[in-house]
Amino acid sequence: MGFLKNLFGGKKGGSGGGGTPWKCGQCSATIQMPPRLMSIISTDINRFALGGLAGYCPSCNTYLCSKHLEFINPSNGEAGPWMVGCKRCRTAVTTGP
Ligand SMILES: [Zn+2]
Ligand SMILES: [Zn+2]
């Protein structure tokens, strides 16, 4: 009993400073979280690509790479604004929980 220090010493985890890559919760691809996700105003969303984007779906509690993301248009406006959303549940993603 008492004050045993385990061999691993100290706390586990912690984000350990900037630049740590995330892993996609669906396919384990390494993802690079953008500093922020912006919405796009455009009548032709097909001109924009999701390539390299990543996001966190607060509804699935999962980090997602661009394969599981799509542009969603929650307000149904003619020109958007289009947001980056989860393909599975069509929730707008964020940059983290
Ligand atoms: Zn993925
Ligand atoms: Zn989702």
Side-chain angles (χ1 to χ4, degrees):
M1 299 291 154
F3 216 73
L4 286 179
K5 254 196 168 164
N6 71 36
L7 285 173
F8 302 101
K11 303 182 276 185
K12 249 186 163 175
S15 51
T20 313
W22 278 263
K23 265 204 156 68
C24 172
Q26 299 266 312
C27 68
S28 298
T30 302
I31 55 180
Q32 215 46 263
M33 192 63 71
R36 64 201 185 101
L37 294 159
M38 41 192 173
S39 45
I40 297 170
I41 311 278
S42 173
T43 51
D44 186 9
I45 196 63
N46 294 320
R47 284 174 37 219
F48 296 88
L50 282 162
L53 264 181
Y56 172 81
C57 176
S59 171
C60 301
N61 284 314
T62 308
Y63 286 100
L64 299 167
C65 73
S66 58
K67 270 188 261 176
H68 321 287
L69 299 172
E70 64 181 3
F71 288 115
I72 56 171
N73 184 355
S75 60
N76 271 318
E78 205 180 308
W82 296 86
M83 327 256 290
V84 182
C86 170
K87 228 176 207 173
R88 189 156 68 172
C89 64
R90 301 183 68 80
T91 302
V93 297
T94 69
T95 53

